[in-house]
């Protein structure tokens, strides 16, 4: 089980409520050029199904719950994100990811290192696996 996908976070609690800071290059290992927010998600409609060539991302569930599957081409791991567990999930380049099982109130905040660029996407799982095996061969 890989644990390097999960980043440690801190929540500052007092009687007024919770404050959850995220500092770029401190709490997440990159600076963000873009954020996007996923809302009104359907529990029976999975999303994602792609990897990125260079984009670095981190995901946090700010409300509700959902499942994130990360796949490095060799193994798949399921992460259950829950607003209260403070998990910041790192989605690095060449990690196939899928999101599913959203609760009706789920809100996902995604921090992304670059502006949106469709040419950075790998949306074909077979191509993703071929690229992963080519990467492996480069180091042999
Ligand atoms: P899509 O990649 O299908 O979303 P998901 O990864 O959640 O399955 O993106 C849906 C649409 O939104 C698609 O037309 C691309 C567009 N989009 C942007 O314009 N900007 C963005 O930052 C993102 C993430 C997507």
């Amino acid at each position: 089980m890989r644990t390097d996908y999960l980043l440690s976070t801190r929540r500052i609690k007092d009687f007024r409520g919770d404050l959850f800071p995220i500092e770029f290059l401190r709490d997440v290992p990159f600076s963000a050029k873009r954020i996007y927010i996923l809302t009104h998600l359907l529990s029976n409609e999975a999303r994602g199904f792609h990897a990125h060539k260079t984009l670095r991302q981190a995901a946090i569930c700010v409300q509700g719950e959902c499942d994130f599957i990360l796949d490095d081409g060799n193994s798949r791991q399921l992460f259950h994100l829950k607003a209260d567990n403070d998990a910041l999930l790192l989605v690095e380049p060449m990690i196939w990811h899928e999101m599913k099982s959203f609760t009706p109130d789920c809100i996902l905040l995604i921090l992304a290192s670059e502006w949106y660029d469709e040419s950075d996407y790998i949306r074909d799982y077979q191509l993703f696996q071929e690229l992963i095996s080519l990467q492996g061969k480069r180091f042999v």
Side-chain angles (χ1 to χ4, degrees), residues 34-36 38 47-50 99 116 118 121 123:
R34 171 169 57 112
I35 63 166
Y36 58 96
L38 294 167
R47 305 185 62 116
F49 297 94
H50 61 255
M99 298 96 91
Y116 175 72
E118 184 59 37
Y121 281 68
R123 293 190 184 272

Side-chain angles (χ1 to χ4, degrees), residues 111-136:
L111 315 170
S113 64
E114 299 297 336
W115 294 320
Y116 175 72
D117 175 9
E118 184 59 37
S119 71
D120 192 65
Y121 281 68
I122 303 162
R123 293 190 184 272
D124 177 325
Y125 189 70
Q126 202 180 325
L127 173 63
F128 165 70
Q129 286 202 304
E130 283 165 19
L131 292 171
I132 288 288
S133 65
L134 280 175
Q135 265 188 347

Side-chain angles (χ1 to χ4, degrees), residues 58-107:
I60 184 158
C61 195
V62 293
Q63 187 173 286
E65 299 177 33
C66 71
D67 287 336
F68 240 93
I69 292 165
L70 301 186
D71 179 340
D72 64 5
N74 295 306
S75 67
R76 270 184 164 227
Q77 207 167 314
L78 187 142
F79 295 87
H80 184 68
L81 297 193
K82 205 173 172 180
D84 279 342
N85 66 11
D86 298 351
L88 196 54
L89 190 68
L90 193 57
V91 185
E92 290 284 31
M94 297 308 288
I95 298 290
W96 185 267
H97 48 286
E98 300 169 12
M99 298 96 91
K100 63 182 178 84
S101 307
F102 307 102
T103 55
D105 59 342
C106 181
I107 298 177

Side-chain angles (χ1 to χ4, degrees), residues 25-40:
L25 301 174
R26 284 185 166 172
D27 300 309
V28 290
F30 57 82
S31 283
K33 276 194 182 166
R34 171 169 57 112
I35 63 166
Y36 58 96
I37 299 164
L38 294 167
T39 63
H40 299 90

